[in-house]
Amino acid sequence: MSVLNGKKILLGVSGGIAAYKTASLVRLFIKAGAHVQVIMTPASKDFVTPLTLSTLSKNPVHSSFFNQDDEDAVWNNHVDLALWADLMLIAPATSNTLSKMTTGNSDNLLVATYLSAKCPVYFAPAMDLDMYKHPSVLSSFNALKSFGNIMIPAESGELASGLSGEGRMAEPENIIAFLEADLESKLPLKGKKILITAGPTYEAIDPVRFIGNHSSGKMGFDLANEAANLGAQVILVAGPTHYKAKNNLVEVIGVVSAQEMYDVCHEHFKDVDVAIAAAAVADYRPKVVATQKIKKAADEFSIELEKTKDILASLGAIKKNQFLIGFALETENEIENAKLKIQKKNLDLIVLNSLQDEGAGFKKETNKVTFINQDFKIEPMELKSKESVAVDILNKVVSHFVKL
Ligand code: CTP
């Protein structure tokens, strides 16, 4: 999945021949799953039509401060447009537009919006080879870079003038690749490896029966997807569940029993930076697993159970620098029991679920959790979707690494 998926992109098109390539650029953004709004300078409309870009972006194209064609002229709020965006790209960026951006000459909607933008701004220059090397253009590049804007360098090749050299706007595919690489390199969990457990475990009674629980695995899969969205490499050890990982940075290792989950976790734990135990692991399993289906006979029947290994506690016992997060599902004395689990399992953070909270628990879309850290700082959270709870938990992971 592209890092551009779900991103809100504001594309500013200025008036150069390369503007015709923005049709492909918008298509590639949409294909990557981004939302696109386009602002055009008046001059750019000579090179590509607003209708083309609005059709491809599936949004109206903005080019003046108000829509003159409307009976009741509607003001295009450049501040709203700028604040909407996760990133702004000016492509092609002509020398005229670049120079206006450096001086704040906001006589068009594109530059006014640029000046209001708080998001990262990228610019892909396009001009003839001598212009591209002119000191005044170079000083625009330097000024914009000093403002924190990011230049996507022009490429070499045949130019509209007939000359050949540096100045062609980077090809749309290369602009996309540049943005993806830049955004990925800045993801807060880039380079981090995270182990997550999810779902129930099934403990066999005989070849056709097992002891299990109602865990759906959703919380663990949401955590895995969110961690991958933040750039982490994720190993998700999942008990039986129908969920699939949405992000290809997630490696799912399917297991069935607590013992299998234990083995896989121990195989990977030494290589990870973070481990999050979101699985509802069975605490007991049948002491003996019948090799044949148990036949119905006596009126009463009992199964002798033995304890499974506590995976989380075993990881806590051997942890070095790993940031270890556990869950606690409690029905009474929640806070006290959760604090005991922090100590017993040597955790950095516990996510407490109380089944007494409406909307929380197994097979629900929502969850209401309380965070308790090693210093017993208690932080109750609102009832929210499991995706949002996953975001909150991963924010704790990100802050841990920021503090280091
Ligand atoms: N856990 C685990 N291995 C087990 C049991 C639990 O890794 N065999 C993990 C769970 O994934 C969870 C945490 O331990 O992160 C706490 O699970 P919970 O069921 O609340 O507590 P238990 O330790 O099993 O204790 P109890 O059932 O007595 O409350």
Side-chain angles (χ1 to χ4, degrees), residues 134-378:
H134 194 279
S136 83
V137 172
L138 293 180
S139 89
S140 294
F141 293 162
N142 289 335
L144 292 173
K145 286 187 205 162
S146 76
F147 301 162
N149 303 159
I150 301 156
M151 175 161 152
I152 304 177
E155 295 173 2
S156 287
E158 204 177 302
L159 298 161
S161 61
L163 298 172
S164 189
E166 205 177 4
R168 278 164 66 119
M169 184 180 83
E171 288 301 323
E173 292 77 11
N174 297 343
I175 291 180
I176 299 283
F178 184 102
L179 292 174
E180 286 178 335
D182 192 66
L183 291 173
E184 271 169 24
S185 72
K186 290 173 182 158
L187 289 173
L189 294 179
K190 182 84 193 159
K192 299 283 182 263
K193 208 165 170 181
I194 303 193
L195 175 72
I196 298 173
T197 66
T201 63
Y202 287 177
E203 309 303 326
I205 298 171
D206 68 14
V208 292
R209 302 179 180 98
F210 60 84
I211 298 173
N213 61 62
H214 289 302
S215 166
S216 66
K218 180 163 172 46
M219 191 68 243
F221 275 75
D222 286 345
L223 279 165
N225 285 325
E226 180 56 21
N229 290 344
L230 296 174
Q233 189 190 338
V234 182
I235 299 168
L236 178 63
V237 190
T241 158
H242 68 273
Y243 281 103
K244 299 230 173 328
K246 292 184 199 146
N247 192 311
N248 54 14
L249 282 174
V250 179
E251 181 193 347
V252 183
I253 304 179
V255 294
V256 176
S257 66
Q259 183 61 46
E260 282 170 20
M261 192 175 270
Y262 177 96
D263 291 341
V264 176
C265 287
H266 277 269
E267 193 185 319
H268 294 282
F269 186 64
K270 59 183 180 317
D271 305 322
V272 302
D273 305 284
V274 179
I276 309 176
V281 186
D283 288 331
Y284 291 91
R285 65 179 173 203
K287 201 165 179 183
V288 178
V289 181
T291 51
Q292 302 298 330
K293 184 182 169 208
I294 300 170
K295 299 298 282 179
K296 180 168 56 187
D299 282 349
E300 285 186 10
F301 177 72
S302 52
I303 302 171
E304 202 179 344
L305 301 178
E306 65 180 6
K307 254 194 185 159
T308 56
K309 289 179 193 153
D310 188 315
I311 303 168
L312 183 59
S314 70
L315 300 179
I318 58 166
K319 85 167 184 196
K320 294 204 165 83
N321 296 321
Q322 292 93 338
F323 190 66
L324 191 57
I325 303 180
F327 278 72
L329 181 65
E330 304 292 344
T331 54
E332 55 183 353
N333 299 329
E334 292 95 342
I335 301 284
E336 283 322 303
N337 284 335
K339 283 181 179 172
L340 285 176
K341 280 181 191 168
I342 295 182
Q343 285 172 324
K344 218 169 86 190
K345 305 195 187 196
N346 193 18
L347 307 180
D348 296 286
L349 182 75
I350 202 156
V351 184
L352 168 63
N353 282 297
S354 167
L355 277 191
Q356 286 175 2
D357 287 316
E358 218 171 289
F362 287 168
K363 302 226 157 142
K364 297 260 171 60
E365 291 298 310
T366 49
N367 209 349
K368 175 154 181 10
V369 302
T370 300
F371 290 123
I372 309 177
N373 73 7
Q374 243 180 353
D375 306 324
F376 294 161
K377 189 177 150 232
I378 299 168

Side-chain angles (χ1 to χ4, degrees), residues 10 39 65 75-85 109 111-119:
L10 192 55
I39 304 178
F65 287 99
W75 186 51
N76 283 320
N77 186 338
H78 58 93
V79 179
D80 281 353
L81 272 172
L83 296 184
W84 169 85
L109 184 68
V111 179
T113 308
Y114 160 75
L115 294 174
S116 313
K118 290 188 178 154
C119 60

